[in-house]
Amino acid sequence: MKFRLEEIEVPEDEPFKYDALKRQPVVEFVRNLIKQLEGPFVLALDSPWGTGKTTVVRMLRASLKSEGFASVYFNAWKEDYVSDPLIPMVGWCWRRPMQQQPHQTRCWPERSKG
């Protein structure tokens, strides 16, 4: 017996291709909100288990990427073995860009001094 549905494919070039639950308006609302923000921010997405939060985030990331935005996806549930969630997140931010782009050393840009 299967208790989990398979993840919905979210193609980067067409994030809403398999959007049977009509999440596109929600994703576009959040994307447009993000486009208006200036500076760093934190976004919390709160909903009961199984309601599609991960799918919404994957669609949002693909939609933002198509417009030139960079994002970090960190799955805290997969790193649930540490009491302080900041430790694996900082470690992930430090390692991940080097895996994707060896010349890049951090998730965040260097600030110019001046």
Side-chain angles (χ1 to χ4, degrees), residues 13 19 56 90 92 95 109-110:
D13 58 335
D19 183 18
V56 166
V90 169
W92 185 93
R95 285 188 321 270
E110 290 287 337

Side-chain angles (χ1 to χ4, degrees), residues 1-7 49:
M1 176 178 263
K2 229 181 194 181
F3 290 103
R4 287 188 73 120
L5 295 174
E6 291 183 25
E7 283 191 4
W49 183 87

Side-chain angles (χ1 to χ4, degrees), residues 4 11 13 18 36 43 53 58-59 85 89-90 107 110:
R4 287 188 73 120
D13 58 335
Y18 304 110
Q36 294 176 27
L43 176 68
K53 297 178 296 293
R58 291 172 55 226
M59 289 176 172
M89 184 172 193
V90 169
C107 288
E110 290 287 337

Side-chain angles (χ1 to χ4, degrees), residues 7-18:
E7 283 191 4
I8 296 169
E9 181 184 352
V10 179
E12 284 194 7
D13 58 335
E14 278 187 88
F16 308 109
K17 183 175 184 176
Y18 304 110

Side-chain angles (χ1 to χ4, degrees), residues 17-106:
K17 183 175 184 176
Y18 304 110
D19 183 18
L21 297 181
K22 309 293 183 219
R23 297 174 180 102
Q24 186 171 355
V26 172
V27 171
E28 288 178 346
F29 173 82
V30 175
R31 183 197 62 214
N32 291 336
L33 177 67
I34 290 170
K35 287 169 60 175
Q36 294 176 27
L37 296 173
E38 295 179 20
F41 68 95
V42 174
L43 176 68
L45 185 60
D46 186 25
S47 187
W49 183 87
T51 56
K53 297 178 296 293
T54 300
T55 302
V56 166
V57 169
R58 291 172 55 226
M59 289 176 172
L60 178 61
R61 286 191 76 215
S63 181
L64 287 169
K65 185 176 181 180
S66 72
E67 296 198 29
F69 284 83
S71 65
V72 173
Y73 179 76
F74 177 75
N75 187 337
W77 293 109
K78 289 185 178 179
E79 307 293 338
D80 198 23
Y81 56 87
V82 182
S83 61
D84 185 352
L86 184 62
I87 294 169
M89 184 172 193
V90 169
W92 185 93
C93 278
W94 202 258
R95 285 188 321 270
R96 186 67 178 180
M98 290 186 278
Q99 293 168 353
Q100 293 176 342
Q101 299 172 355
H103 65 278
Q104 188 177 358
T105 59
R106 293 183 180 84

